[in-house]
Amino acid sequence: MTQPPSTNMQILKPQIDLLAQMGKLNPGFARLAVMLPILAAAAAAAMNYLGNDPAMAFIILVGAIVLLVVLAVISTVAANLLSIPGMAATVVWFVRFMLTVFGMVLVIPLIAWLTDWPRPAACLLNLSPRSSCQVAGVQVPPAPPAPVSPAGIPANNPRAAASLLANYRVFPQYLGVAPAKLSTLENSLRNNGWRVEAAENMTGKTTGSWNEIRVNPTMDKDVAKQLADDVSAALRRPIIVKVVSAVRPDRPEIWISGD
């Protein structure tokens, strides 16, 4: 029968090593399986913080800390169970099962945060059919420039008040776009009432092909569509509206590549 670890061992050995011992797992594998998701969560928190989303960074860090506390509780419960005769086999399966659940709890939101699959991270528990989480992937076709009245106001094209649009900071990200076209886009958006931040050239930072705006699931759908319409009209190309939970509600992003 497996002997319960001594009190000194519980104090001196890391909790992960205790879990590995009680679950009859390789200690190196156990450390890797637990610490990699935790490090990934820390990296996600750092990226969200640097991306001007401290609230999401705080949530991720708190979640990681809570899961570590849960692991400590599991190891304590397992150690206490080992003191009961005949419970060694049950403890092994209990530890392995809880570590599997721990991995799944971390991996699913991590995949959702990276790929928006199976849903954006902010939408994982949102089942409301009226939620803006339902608008991912909507394509806005290129729109011709709206006819302009003598006063410079688009005719027969109701728009949100400029004061409302000014609440949003638009961040263009581009790759392989001609400076003249980028300037046209920025000037057009500013003329339409948007606050446009300095565009970021993604050359050398990432690769890909984009033709989309990225919005937070909670962003007003009409405002998101209006931004897509304005970008589409300026670039004369279809634009995809993509829901991405990492984007702040008041900071939609434009991702475009090529001419």
Side-chain angles (χ1 to χ4, degrees):
M1 182 185 302
T2 303
Q3 296 297 321
S6 66
T7 302
N8 289 336
M9 185 179 293
Q10 291 185 55
I11 294 174
L12 298 177
K13 289 180 70 68
Q15 295 292 341
I16 297 174
D17 288 350
L18 278 176
L19 287 170
Q21 177 185 345
M22 289 181 285
K24 293 186 177 180
L25 300 170
N26 180 282
F29 170 78
R31 293 190 198 104
L32 205 63
V34 173
M35 293 311 299
L36 273 184
I38 294 297
L39 290 175
M47 292 178 68
N48 275 278
Y49 183 81
L50 294 176
N52 297 318
D53 194 355
M56 180 61 71
F58 177 76
I59 291 172
I60 293 173
L61 281 178
V62 169
I65 292 171
V66 168
L67 288 174
L68 283 177
V69 171
V70 169
L71 279 182
V73 171
I74 291 171
S75 65
T76 302
V77 172
N80 289 332
L81 289 176
L82 275 176
S83 63
I84 303 175
M87 291 294 291
T90 302
V91 168
V92 170
W93 288 110
F94 168 73
V95 171
R96 291 180 177 179
F97 172 76
M98 294 307 296
L99 285 176
T100 301
V101 172
F102 173 82
M104 291 177 63
V105 167
L106 277 176
V107 167
I108 291 176
L110 181 62
I111 292 175
W113 177 73
L114 290 173
T115 67
D116 289 335
W117 186 90
R119 305 183 77 191
C123 298
L124 282 175
L125 300 179
N126 193 327
L127 303 179
S128 172
R130 296 184 179 181
S131 169
S132 56
C133 292
Q134 311 301 322
V135 303
V138 174
Q139 187 178 57
V140 177
V148 178
S149 69
I153 302 173
N156 302 319
N157 184 24
R159 297 178 55 84
S163 59
L164 173 60
L165 300 186
N167 293 328
Y168 295 89
R169 297 169 60 186
V170 180
F171 289 80
Q173 323 276 335
Y174 68 97
L175 181 65
V177 178
K181 179 166 287 190
L182 184 65
S183 179
T184 297
L185 171 63
E186 293 176 322
N187 291 335
S188 176
L189 292 178
R190 290 190 178 102
N191 290 337
N192 285 334
W194 298 98
R195 292 174 58 194
V196 183
E197 301 295 329
E200 182 176 0
N201 188 348
M202 304 304 291
T203 302
K205 300 178 182 179
T206 186
T207 59
S209 177
W210 317 295
N211 205 34
E212 63 195 39
I213 66 167
R214 299 181 182 181
V215 302
N216 185 275
T218 61
M219 182 177 175
D220 185 282
K221 288 188 289 186
D222 292 334
V223 176
K225 184 179 183 304
Q226 184 165 306
L227 175 59
D229 285 336
D230 290 345
V231 174
S232 177
L235 297 177
R236 301 296 185 89
R237 64 168 78 168
I239 293 295
I240 293 292
V241 179
K242 186 176 181 181
V243 174
V244 179
S245 57
V247 176
R248 286 185 54 167
D250 60 340
R251 300 186 181 183
E253 300 174 358
I254 301 171
W255 288 74
I256 51 176
S257 60
D259 291 327

